[in-house]
Amino acid sequence: MKLFYNPASPFVRKVLVTAIECQVEAQINKEPLALTPVSPSDALNADNPLGKIPALVLDNGSTLFDSRVICEYLNQLGGGTLFPNDDSRWQALRRQSIADGMCDAGVLVRYETFVRPEERQWDHWINNQKDKFRRATALLESEVSGFGDTIDIGTLSVAIALDYIDFRYSDESWRNQCPALAAWHQSISTRPSLAQTMPKDLA
Ligand code: BEZ
C-alpha cells in the first residue's frame, strides 16, 4: 500500500498511529508530499480528486480517503480494537470528531497564516478558527475524567489534536485552563505509537 504523506499533518499522523497500533505499518510505503491548497500534486490528484492527504492507495489500485475511512480500514486489516463495536463506539467516534474538528481549525489557520500573503490575512477569521479549538479543549477538560485508560480512535485522536496545537500554536495556553486534560495528555504521550510520530516539518 502507498500512503501520500506529510509528517506535519495531524490527519496523516492519525493514520500512522493507527497503523502502528494495529501492526500493519510495515505494509505501508510512505510517499512524502509538500502540499498546500495552492501547490497541488498531480500524482496525488490522479489518485484522490480532492487533492488531500492522507490518501492510501491499496494494492488493488483503488484509493481510500479520508483519515477516518483509512483508519477504520487499517483497524480491520490488522484486527485492531480501535473502533469498538459495542455502545462505546459512539463515544469513540464523537471524540474523534471533536479532535478532527480541532485539527481542521488548526490547519485552516496554518494555511491562512503560512500560505496566504500577509496583507490579505484576516485576523477576525483566524481568531474565530482558534476559538473552535479553545472551546473544544474546554469541553474535553470537562469530559477527560471519563477517558480512563481507554485507547481507541477517540482518545488517540484527541492526543494528536493537542499535539498539533502545541506544534503550530505553542503560544496557546490550553494547559493553564485544562489541568486535567494536560495530565491525561502527558500520560498518553508516552505510548510508542504517539511518541514515534510526533509532528515535524518535511525535511
Ligand atoms: C502543516 O504544515 O501544519 C500541515 C501540512 C500538511 C497538512 C496539514 C498541515
PDB file of all heavy atoms in Angstrom, residues 73-110:
ATOM      1  N   TYR A  73     -10.240   1.183   7.953  1.00  0.00           N
ATOM      2  CA  TYR A  73      -9.745   0.101   7.075  1.00  0.00           C
ATOM      3  C   TYR A  73      -8.535  -0.593   7.715  1.00  0.00           C
ATOM      4  O   TYR A  73      -8.470  -1.827   7.776  1.00  0.00           O
ATOM      5  CB  TYR A  73      -9.373   0.681   5.706  1.00  0.00           C
ATOM      6  CG  TYR A  73      -8.685  -0.320   4.812  1.00  0.00           C
ATOM      7  CD1 TYR A  73      -9.416  -1.289   4.126  1.00  0.00           C
ATOM      8  CD2 TYR A  73      -7.298  -0.315   4.673  1.00  0.00           C
ATOM      9  CE1 TYR A  73      -8.786  -2.227   3.328  1.00  0.00           C
ATOM     10  CE2 TYR A  73      -6.658  -1.246   3.868  1.00  0.00           C
ATOM     11  CZ  TYR A  73      -7.404  -2.201   3.201  1.00  0.00           C
ATOM     12  OH  TYR A  73      -6.773  -3.130   2.407  1.00  0.00           O
ATOM     13  N   LEU A  74      -7.567   0.213   8.184  1.00  0.00           N
ATOM     14  CA  LEU A  74      -6.349  -0.379   8.766  1.00  0.00           C
ATOM     15  C   LEU A  74      -6.680  -1.165  10.033  1.00  0.00           C
ATOM     16  O   LEU A  74      -6.080  -2.212  10.308  1.00  0.00           O
ATOM     17  CB  LEU A  74      -5.315   0.719   9.066  1.00  0.00           C
ATOM     18  CG  LEU A  74      -4.752   1.447   7.847  1.00  0.00           C
ATOM     19  CD1 LEU A  74      -3.781   2.545   8.284  1.00  0.00           C
ATOM     20  CD2 LEU A  74      -4.055   0.480   6.887  1.00  0.00           C
ATOM     21  N   ASN A  75      -7.624  -0.650  10.803  1.00  0.00           N
ATOM     22  CA  ASN A  75      -8.041  -1.358  12.014  1.00  0.00           C
ATOM     23  C   ASN A  75      -8.610  -2.731  11.657  1.00  0.00           C
ATOM     24  O   ASN A  75      -8.273  -3.740  12.291  1.00  0.00           O
ATOM     25  CB  ASN A  75      -9.086  -0.521  12.755  1.00  0.00           C
ATOM     26  CG  ASN A  75      -9.480  -1.126  14.081  1.00  0.00           C
ATOM     27  OD1 ASN A  75      -8.689  -1.155  15.016  1.00  0.00           O
ATOM     28  ND2 ASN A  75     -10.703  -1.628  14.166  1.00  0.00           N
ATOM     29  N   GLN A  76      -9.428  -2.772  10.619  1.00  0.00           N
ATOM     30  CA  GLN A  76      -9.993  -4.065  10.199  1.00  0.00           C
ATOM     31  C   GLN A  76      -8.907  -4.973   9.634  1.00  0.00           C
ATOM     32  O   GLN A  76      -8.847  -6.166   9.938  1.00  0.00           O
ATOM     33  CB  GLN A  76     -11.095  -3.852   9.168  1.00  0.00           C
ATOM     34  CG  GLN A  76     -11.862  -5.130   8.879  1.00  0.00           C
ATOM     35  CD  GLN A  76     -12.866  -4.933   7.768  1.00  0.00           C
ATOM     36  OE1 GLN A  76     -12.515  -4.861   6.597  1.00  0.00           O
ATOM     37  NE2 GLN A  76     -14.124  -4.833   8.132  1.00  0.00           N
ATOM     38  N   LEU A  77      -8.011  -4.376   8.813  1.00  0.00           N
ATOM     39  CA  LEU A  77      -6.931  -5.165   8.205  1.00  0.00           C
ATOM     40  C   LEU A  77      -6.077  -5.844   9.269  1.00  0.00           C
ATOM     41  O   LEU A  77      -5.683  -7.007   9.130  1.00  0.00           O
ATOM     42  CB  LEU A  77      -6.055  -4.228   7.343  1.00  0.00           C
ATOM     43  CG  LEU A  77      -4.914  -4.862   6.558  1.00  0.00           C
ATOM     44  CD1 LEU A  77      -5.478  -5.732   5.431  1.00  0.00           C
ATOM     45  CD2 LEU A  77      -3.995  -3.776   5.975  1.00  0.00           C
ATOM     46  N   GLY A  78      -5.776  -5.101  10.340  1.00  0.00           N
ATOM     47  CA  GLY A  78      -4.889  -5.638  11.376  1.00  0.00           C
ATOM     48  C   GLY A  78      -5.636  -6.312  12.514  1.00  0.00           C
ATOM     49  O   GLY A  78      -5.009  -6.716  13.504  1.00  0.00           O
ATOM     50  N   GLY A  79      -6.945  -6.391  12.422  1.00  0.00           N
ATOM     51  CA  GLY A  79      -7.710  -6.991  13.530  1.00  0.00           C
ATOM     52  C   GLY A  79      -7.570  -6.177  14.807  1.00  0.00           C
ATOM     53  O   GLY A  79      -7.498  -6.733  15.908  1.00  0.00           O
ATOM     54  N   GLY A  80      -7.540  -4.860  14.667  1.00  0.00           N
ATOM     55  CA  GLY A  80      -7.346  -3.982  15.827  1.00  0.00           C
ATOM     56  C   GLY A  80      -8.613  -3.770  16.630  1.00  0.00           C
ATOM     57  O   GLY A  80      -9.692  -4.275  16.273  1.00  0.00           O
ATOM     58  N   THR A  81      -8.471  -3.010  17.702  1.00  0.00           N
ATOM     59  CA  THR A  81      -9.609  -2.770  18.612  1.00  0.00           C
ATOM     60  C   THR A  81      -9.870  -1.273  18.784  1.00  0.00           C
ATOM     61  O   THR A  81     -10.455  -0.854  19.782  1.00  0.00           O
ATOM     62  CB  THR A  81      -9.319  -3.391  19.996  1.00  0.00           C
ATOM     63  OG1 THR A  81      -8.092  -2.833  20.494  1.00  0.00           O
ATOM     64  CG2 THR A  81      -9.204  -4.902  19.919  1.00  0.00           C
ATOM     65  N   LEU A  82      -9.418  -0.463  17.812  1.00  0.00           N
ATOM     66  CA  LEU A  82      -9.543   0.994  17.971  1.00  0.00           C
ATOM     67  C   LEU A  82     -10.958   1.496  17.675  1.00  0.00           C
ATOM     68  O   LEU A  82     -11.302   2.619  18.039  1.00  0.00           O
ATOM     69  CB  LEU A  82      -8.548   1.721  17.067  1.00  0.00           C
ATOM     70  CG  LEU A  82      -7.062   1.443  17.347  1.00  0.00           C
ATOM     71  CD1 LEU A  82      -6.182   2.320  16.464  1.00  0.00           C
ATOM     72  CD2 LEU A  82      -6.730   1.658  18.817  1.00  0.00           C
ATOM     73  N   PHE A  83     -11.751   0.683  16.957  1.00  0.00           N
ATOM     74  CA  PHE A  83     -13.140   1.057  16.649  1.00  0.00           C
ATOM     75  C   PHE A  83     -14.057   0.049  17.331  1.00  0.00           C
ATOM     76  O   PHE A  83     -14.355  -1.009  16.764  1.00  0.00           O
ATOM     77  CB  PHE A  83     -13.377   1.049  15.131  1.00  0.00           C
ATOM     78  CG  PHE A  83     -12.682   2.166  14.402  1.00  0.00           C
ATOM     79  CD1 PHE A  83     -11.337   2.063  14.078  1.00  0.00           C
ATOM     80  CD2 PHE A  83     -13.365   3.326  14.053  1.00  0.00           C
ATOM     81  CE1 PHE A  83     -10.680   3.095  13.412  1.00  0.00           C
ATOM     82  CE2 PHE A  83     -12.724   4.355  13.394  1.00  0.00           C
ATOM     83  CZ  PHE A  83     -11.383   4.250  13.069  1.00  0.00           C
ATOM     84  N   PRO A  84     -14.482   0.369  18.554  1.00  0.00           N
ATOM     85  CA  PRO A  84     -15.307  -0.606  19.279  1.00  0.00           C
ATOM     86  C   PRO A  84     -16.612  -0.881  18.537  1.00  0.00           C
ATOM     87  O   PRO A  84     -17.117  -0.020  17.808  1.00  0.00           O
ATOM     88  CB  PRO A  84     -15.599   0.092  20.616  1.00  0.00           C
ATOM     89  CG  PRO A  84     -14.815   1.343  20.647  1.00  0.00           C
ATOM     90  CD  PRO A  84     -14.260   1.609  19.296  1.00  0.00           C
ATOM     91  N   ASN A  85     -17.145  -2.078  18.753  1.00  0.00           N
ATOM     92  CA  ASN A  85     -18.411  -2.442  18.121  1.00  0.00           C
ATOM     93  C   ASN A  85     -19.586  -2.399  19.090  1.00  0.00           C
ATOM     94  O   ASN A  85     -20.722  -2.600  18.689  1.00  0.00           O
ATOM     95  CB  ASN A  85     -18.315  -3.840  17.492  1.00  0.00           C
ATOM     96  CG  ASN A  85     -17.555  -3.783  16.180  1.00  0.00           C
ATOM     97  OD1 ASN A  85     -17.742  -2.867  15.372  1.00  0.00           O
ATOM     98  ND2 ASN A  85     -16.643  -4.724  15.989  1.00  0.00           N
ATOM     99  N   ASP A  86     -19.297  -2.125  20.380  1.00  0.00           N
ATOM    100  CA  ASP A  86     -20.397  -2.015  21.341  1.00  0.00           C
ATOM    101  C   ASP A  86     -20.805  -0.543  21.471  1.00  0.00           C
ATOM    102  O   ASP A  86     -20.410   0.295  20.656  1.00  0.00           O
ATOM    103  CB  ASP A  86     -19.991  -2.634  22.689  1.00  0.00           C
ATOM    104  CG  ASP A  86     -18.750  -1.947  23.279  1.00  0.00           C
ATOM    105  OD1 ASP A  86     -18.365  -0.870  22.768  1.00  0.00           O
ATOM    106  OD2 ASP A  86     -18.182  -2.478  24.240  1.00  0.00           O
ATOM    107  N   ASP A  87     -21.570  -0.215  22.503  1.00  0.00           N
ATOM    108  CA  ASP A  87     -22.091   1.151  22.648  1.00  0.00           C
ATOM    109  C   ASP A  87     -20.985   2.196  22.776  1.00  0.00           C
ATOM    110  O   ASP A  87     -21.204   3.376  22.475  1.00  0.00           O
ATOM    111  CB  ASP A  87     -22.996   1.234  23.878  1.00  0.00           C
ATOM    112  CG  ASP A  87     -24.383   0.666  23.586  1.00  0.00           C
ATOM    113  OD1 ASP A  87     -24.627   0.328  22.395  1.00  0.00           O
ATOM    114  OD2 ASP A  87     -25.187   0.565  24.517  1.00  0.00           O
ATOM    115  N   SER A  88     -19.794   1.777  23.221  1.00  0.00           N
ATOM    116  CA  SER A  88     -18.706   2.750  23.392  1.00  0.00           C
ATOM    117  C   SER A  88     -18.207   3.278  22.045  1.00  0.00           C
ATOM    118  O   SER A  88     -17.438   4.237  21.985  1.00  0.00           O
ATOM    119  CB  SER A  88     -17.552   2.139  24.197  1.00  0.00           C
ATOM    120  OG  SER A  88     -16.938   1.096  23.464  1.00  0.00           O
ATOM    121  N   ARG A  89     -18.653   2.621  20.948  1.00  0.00           N
ATOM    122  CA  ARG A  89     -18.278   3.095  19.601  1.00  0.00           C
ATOM    123  C   ARG A  89     -18.624   4.573  19.406  1.00  0.00           C
ATOM    124  O   ARG A  89     -17.855   5.338  18.858  1.00  0.00           O
ATOM    125  CB  ARG A  89     -19.001   2.244  18.554  1.00  0.00           C
ATOM    126  CG  ARG A  89     -18.776   2.692  17.130  1.00  0.00           C
ATOM    127  CD  ARG A  89     -19.466   1.741  16.141  1.00  0.00           C
ATOM    128  NE  ARG A  89     -19.219   2.151  14.776  1.00  0.00           N
ATOM    129  CZ  ARG A  89     -18.109   1.837  14.091  1.00  0.00           C
ATOM    130  NH1 ARG A  89     -17.184   1.089  14.661  1.00  0.00           N
ATOM    131  NH2 ARG A  89     -17.936   2.253  12.868  1.00  0.00           N
ATOM    132  N   TRP A  90     -19.823   4.963  19.864  1.00  0.00           N
ATOM    133  CA  TRP A  90     -20.289   6.338  19.578  1.00  0.00           C
ATOM    134  C   TRP A  90     -19.490   7.358  20.359  1.00  0.00           C
ATOM    135  O   TRP A  90     -19.224   8.459  19.865  1.00  0.00           O
ATOM    136  CB  TRP A  90     -21.801   6.433  19.830  1.00  0.00           C
ATOM    137  CG  TRP A  90     -22.465   5.358  19.038  1.00  0.00           C
ATOM    138  CD1 TRP A  90     -23.131   4.270  19.506  1.00  0.00           C
ATOM    139  CD2 TRP A  90     -22.419   5.215  17.604  1.00  0.00           C
ATOM    140  NE1 TRP A  90     -23.508   3.468  18.455  1.00  0.00           N
ATOM    141  CE2 TRP A  90     -23.093   4.019  17.290  1.00  0.00           C
ATOM    142  CE3 TRP A  90     -21.882   5.971  16.578  1.00  0.00           C
ATOM    143  CZ2 TRP A  90     -23.235   3.572  15.977  1.00  0.00           C
ATOM    144  CZ3 TRP A  90     -22.022   5.538  15.264  1.00  0.00           C
ATOM    145  CH2 TRP A  90     -22.697   4.353  14.977  1.00  0.00           C
ATOM    146  N   GLN A  91     -19.068   6.971  21.556  1.00  0.00           N
ATOM    147  CA  GLN A  91     -18.200   7.857  22.334  1.00  0.00           C
ATOM    148  C   GLN A  91     -16.839   8.003  21.638  1.00  0.00           C
ATOM    149  O   GLN A  91     -16.289   9.098  21.545  1.00  0.00           O
ATOM    150  CB  GLN A  91     -18.021   7.256  23.720  1.00  0.00           C
ATOM    151  CG  GLN A  91     -17.601   8.259  24.767  1.00  0.00           C
ATOM    152  CD  GLN A  91     -17.747   7.667  26.141  1.00  0.00           C
ATOM    153  OE1 GLN A  91     -17.195   6.589  26.396  1.00  0.00           O
ATOM    154  NE2 GLN A  91     -18.488   8.310  27.012  1.00  0.00           N
ATOM    155  N   ALA A  92     -16.309   6.887  21.148  1.00  0.00           N
ATOM    156  CA  ALA A  92     -15.014   6.936  20.454  1.00  0.00           C
ATOM    157  C   ALA A  92     -15.108   7.799  19.193  1.00  0.00           C
ATOM    158  O   ALA A  92     -14.249   8.644  18.930  1.00  0.00           O
ATOM    159  CB  ALA A  92     -14.563   5.520  20.095  1.00  0.00           C
ATOM    160  N   LEU A  93     -16.178   7.596  18.413  1.00  0.00           N
ATOM    161  CA  LEU A  93     -16.317   8.364  17.171  1.00  0.00           C
ATOM    162  C   LEU A  93     -16.593   9.837  17.457  1.00  0.00           C
ATOM    163  O   LEU A  93     -16.120  10.720  16.730  1.00  0.00           O
ATOM    164  CB  LEU A  93     -17.434   7.764  16.305  1.00  0.00           C
ATOM    165  CG  LEU A  93     -17.165   6.360  15.752  1.00  0.00           C
ATOM    166  CD1 LEU A  93     -18.322   5.903  14.874  1.00  0.00           C
ATOM    167  CD2 LEU A  93     -15.848   6.288  14.974  1.00  0.00           C
ATOM    168  N   ARG A  94     -17.339  10.099  18.522  1.00  0.00           N
ATOM    169  CA  ARG A  94     -17.593  11.505  18.884  1.00  0.00           C
ATOM    170  C   ARG A  94     -16.291  12.194  19.284  1.00  0.00           C
ATOM    171  O   ARG A  94     -16.022  13.328  18.887  1.00  0.00           O
ATOM    172  CB  ARG A  94     -18.602  11.545  20.044  1.00  0.00           C
ATOM    173  CG  ARG A  94     -18.889  12.946  20.556  1.00  0.00           C
ATOM    174  CD  ARG A  94     -19.976  12.896  21.641  1.00  0.00           C
ATOM    175  NE  ARG A  94     -20.178  14.191  22.251  1.00  0.00           N
ATOM    176  CZ  ARG A  94     -19.447  14.669  23.248  1.00  0.00           C
ATOM    177  NH1 ARG A  94     -18.451  13.943  23.737  1.00  0.00           N
ATOM    178  NH2 ARG A  94     -19.696  15.862  23.762  1.00  0.00           N
ATOM    179  N   ARG A  95     -15.475  11.505  20.066  1.00  0.00           N
ATOM    180  CA  ARG A  95     -14.173  12.107  20.446  1.00  0.00           C
ATOM    181  C   ARG A  95     -13.309  12.325  19.205  1.00  0.00           C
ATOM    182  O   ARG A  95     -12.617  13.335  19.086  1.00  0.00           O
ATOM    183  CB  ARG A  95     -13.457  11.214  21.464  1.00  0.00           C
ATOM    184  CG  ARG A  95     -14.107  11.259  22.830  1.00  0.00           C
ATOM    185  CD  ARG A  95     -13.486  10.253  23.797  1.00  0.00           C
ATOM    186  NE  ARG A  95     -14.232  10.239  25.062  1.00  0.00           N
ATOM    187  CZ  ARG A  95     -14.299   9.196  25.881  1.00  0.00           C
ATOM    188  NH1 ARG A  95     -13.659   8.075  25.580  1.00  0.00           N
ATOM    189  NH2 ARG A  95     -14.985   9.289  26.994  1.00  0.00           N
ATOM    190  N   GLN A  96     -13.351  11.363  18.286  1.00  0.00           N
ATOM    191  CA  GLN A  96     -12.593  11.555  17.051  1.00  0.00           C
ATOM    192  C   GLN A  96     -13.105  12.800  16.316  1.00  0.00           C
ATOM    193  O   GLN A  96     -12.320  13.583  15.774  1.00  0.00           O
ATOM    194  CB  GLN A  96     -12.718  10.327  16.134  1.00  0.00           C
ATOM    195  CG  GLN A  96     -11.984  10.527  14.801  1.00  0.00           C
ATOM    196  CD  GLN A  96     -12.064   9.343  13.844  1.00  0.00           C
ATOM    197  OE1 GLN A  96     -11.071   8.974  13.224  1.00  0.00           O
ATOM    198  NE2 GLN A  96     -13.232   8.755  13.714  1.00  0.00           N
ATOM    199  N   SER A  97     -14.420  13.003  16.300  1.00  0.00           N
ATOM    200  CA  SER A  97     -14.988  14.165  15.601  1.00  0.00           C
ATOM    201  C   SER A  97     -14.550  15.475  16.246  1.00  0.00           C
ATOM    202  O   SER A  97     -14.224  16.446  15.544  1.00  0.00           O
ATOM    203  CB  SER A  97     -16.518  14.092  15.596  1.00  0.00           C
ATOM    204  OG  SER A  97     -16.954  13.009  14.831  1.00  0.00           O
ATOM    205  N   ILE A  98     -14.552  15.518  17.569  1.00  0.00           N
ATOM    206  CA  ILE A  98     -14.096  16.738  18.259  1.00  0.00           C
ATOM    207  C   ILE A  98     -12.641  17.008  17.884  1.00  0.00           C
ATOM    208  O   ILE A  98     -12.251  18.126  17.521  1.00  0.00           O
ATOM    209  CB  ILE A  98     -14.233  16.581  19.797  1.00  0.00           C
ATOM    210  CG1 ILE A  98     -15.697  16.462  20.209  1.00  0.00           C
ATOM    211  CG2 ILE A  98     -13.571  17.777  20.507  1.00  0.00           C
ATOM    212  CD1 ILE A  98     -15.886  16.009  21.646  1.00  0.00           C
ATOM    213  N   ALA A  99     -11.826  15.959  17.965  1.00  0.00           N
ATOM    214  CA  ALA A  99     -10.387  16.113  17.688  1.00  0.00           C
ATOM    215  C   ALA A  99     -10.140  16.510  16.231  1.00  0.00           C
ATOM    216  O   ALA A  99      -9.327  17.396  15.939  1.00  0.00           O
ATOM    217  CB  ALA A  99      -9.654  14.813  18.017  1.00  0.00           C
ATOM    218  N   ASP A 100     -10.854  15.872  15.308  1.00  0.00           N
ATOM    219  CA  ASP A 100     -10.679  16.210  13.886  1.00  0.00           C
ATOM    220  C   ASP A 100     -11.096  17.654  13.629  1.00  0.00           C
ATOM    221  O   ASP A 100     -10.479  18.356  12.820  1.00  0.00           O
ATOM    222  CB  ASP A 100     -11.492  15.263  12.995  1.00  0.00           C
ATOM    223  CG  ASP A 100     -10.826  13.907  12.822  1.00  0.00           C
ATOM    224  OD1 ASP A 100      -9.755  13.684  13.419  1.00  0.00           O
ATOM    225  OD2 ASP A 100     -11.377  13.067  12.089  1.00  0.00           O
ATOM    226  N   GLY A 101     -12.147  18.102  14.315  1.00  0.00           N
ATOM    227  CA  GLY A 101     -12.578  19.491  14.159  1.00  0.00           C
ATOM    228  C   GLY A 101     -11.520  20.460  14.655  1.00  0.00           C
ATOM    229  O   GLY A 101     -11.289  21.522  14.059  1.00  0.00           O
ATOM    230  N   MET A 102     -10.863  20.104  15.753  1.00  0.00           N
ATOM    231  CA  MET A 102      -9.755  20.941  16.247  1.00  0.00           C
ATOM    232  C   MET A 102      -8.645  21.011  15.200  1.00  0.00           C
ATOM    233  O   MET A 102      -8.065  22.071  14.940  1.00  0.00           O
ATOM    234  CB  MET A 102      -9.187  20.348  17.549  1.00  0.00           C
ATOM    235  CG  MET A 102     -10.120  20.418  18.733  1.00  0.00           C
ATOM    236  SD  MET A 102      -9.499  19.455  20.129  1.00  0.00           S
ATOM    237  CE  MET A 102      -8.032  20.378  20.576  1.00  0.00           C
ATOM    238  N   CYS A 103      -8.354  19.865  14.608  1.00  0.00           N
ATOM    239  CA  CYS A 103      -7.287  19.827  13.589  1.00  0.00           C
ATOM    240  C   CYS A 103      -7.706  20.599  12.340  1.00  0.00           C
ATOM    241  O   CYS A 103      -6.888  21.309  11.745  1.00  0.00           O
ATOM    242  CB  CYS A 103      -6.933  18.381  13.239  1.00  0.00           C
ATOM    243  SG  CYS A 103      -6.211  17.471  14.609  1.00  0.00           S
ATOM    244  N   ASP A 104      -8.979  20.469  11.938  1.00  0.00           N
ATOM    245  CA  ASP A 104      -9.463  21.245  10.783  1.00  0.00           C
ATOM    246  C   ASP A 104      -9.214  22.739  11.019  1.00  0.00           C
ATOM    247  O   ASP A 104      -8.683  23.432  10.142  1.00  0.00           O
ATOM    248  CB  ASP A 104     -10.974  21.038  10.586  1.00  0.00           C
ATOM    249  CG  ASP A 104     -11.306  19.737   9.879  1.00  0.00           C
ATOM    250  OD1 ASP A 104     -10.452  19.242   9.115  1.00  0.00           O
ATOM    251  OD2 ASP A 104     -12.416  19.223  10.095  1.00  0.00           O
ATOM    252  N   ALA A 105      -9.608  23.214  12.201  1.00  0.00           N
ATOM    253  CA  ALA A 105      -9.441  24.637  12.501  1.00  0.00           C
ATOM    254  C   ALA A 105      -7.952  25.009  12.534  1.00  0.00           C
ATOM    255  O   ALA A 105      -7.544  26.042  11.990  1.00  0.00           O
ATOM    256  CB  ALA A 105     -10.107  24.966  13.841  1.00  0.00           C
ATOM    257  N   GLY A 106      -7.153  24.145  13.154  1.00  0.00           N
ATOM    258  CA  GLY A 106      -5.716  24.414  13.245  1.00  0.00           C
ATOM    259  C   GLY A 106      -5.039  24.460  11.885  1.00  0.00           C
ATOM    260  O   GLY A 106      -4.200  25.323  11.617  1.00  0.00           O
ATOM    261  N   VAL A 107      -5.435  23.541  11.013  1.00  0.00           N
ATOM    262  CA  VAL A 107      -4.827  23.504   9.664  1.00  0.00           C
ATOM    263  C   VAL A 107      -5.284  24.715   8.847  1.00  0.00           C
ATOM    264  O   VAL A 107      -4.497  25.325   8.123  1.00  0.00           O
ATOM    265  CB  VAL A 107      -5.152  22.165   8.957  1.00  0.00           C
ATOM    266  CG1 VAL A 107      -4.744  22.212   7.495  1.00  0.00           C
ATOM    267  CG2 VAL A 107      -4.453  21.003   9.664  1.00  0.00           C
ATOM    268  N   LEU A 108      -6.557  25.105   8.989  1.00  0.00           N
ATOM    269  CA  LEU A 108      -7.032  26.286   8.251  1.00  0.00           C
ATOM    270  C   LEU A 108      -6.271  27.541   8.684  1.00  0.00           C
ATOM    271  O   LEU A 108      -5.908  28.378   7.848  1.00  0.00           O
ATOM    272  CB  LEU A 108      -8.537  26.470   8.478  1.00  0.00           C
ATOM    273  CG  LEU A 108      -9.442  25.480   7.737  1.00  0.00           C
ATOM    274  CD1 LEU A 108     -10.902  25.685   8.135  1.00  0.00           C
ATOM    275  CD2 LEU A 108      -9.283  25.612   6.225  1.00  0.00           C
ATOM    276  N   VAL A 109      -6.021  27.669   9.986  1.00  0.00           N
ATOM    277  CA  VAL A 109      -5.248  28.830  10.458  1.00  0.00           C
ATOM    278  C   VAL A 109      -3.820  28.764   9.925  1.00  0.00           C
ATOM    279  O   VAL A 109      -3.235  29.776   9.528  1.00  0.00           O
ATOM    280  CB  VAL A 109      -5.253  28.910  12.006  1.00  0.00           C
ATOM    281  CG1 VAL A 109      -4.313  30.010  12.489  1.00  0.00           C
ATOM    282  CG2 VAL A 109      -6.664  29.156  12.523  1.00  0.00           C
ATOM    283  N   ARG A 110      -3.285  27.558   9.863  1.00  0.00           N
ATOM    284  CA  ARG A 110      -1.932  27.386   9.311  1.00  0.00           C
ATOM    285  C   ARG A 110      -1.884  27.878   7.857  1.00  0.00           C
ATOM    286  O   ARG A 110      -0.973  28.602   7.461  1.00  0.00           O
ATOM    287  CB  ARG A 110      -1.529  25.911   9.402  1.00  0.00           C
ATOM    288  CG  ARG A 110      -0.236  25.541   8.706  1.00  0.00           C
ATOM    289  CD  ARG A 110       0.971  26.097   9.418  1.00  0.00           C
ATOM    290  NE  ARG A 110       2.213  25.696   8.752  1.00  0.00           N
ATOM    291  CZ  ARG A 110       3.376  26.262   8.960  1.00  0.00           C
ATOM    292  NH1 ARG A 110       3.489  27.263   9.822  1.00  0.00           N
ATOM    293  NH2 ARG A 110       4.452  25.849   8.326  1.00  0.00           N
TER     294      ARG A 110
END
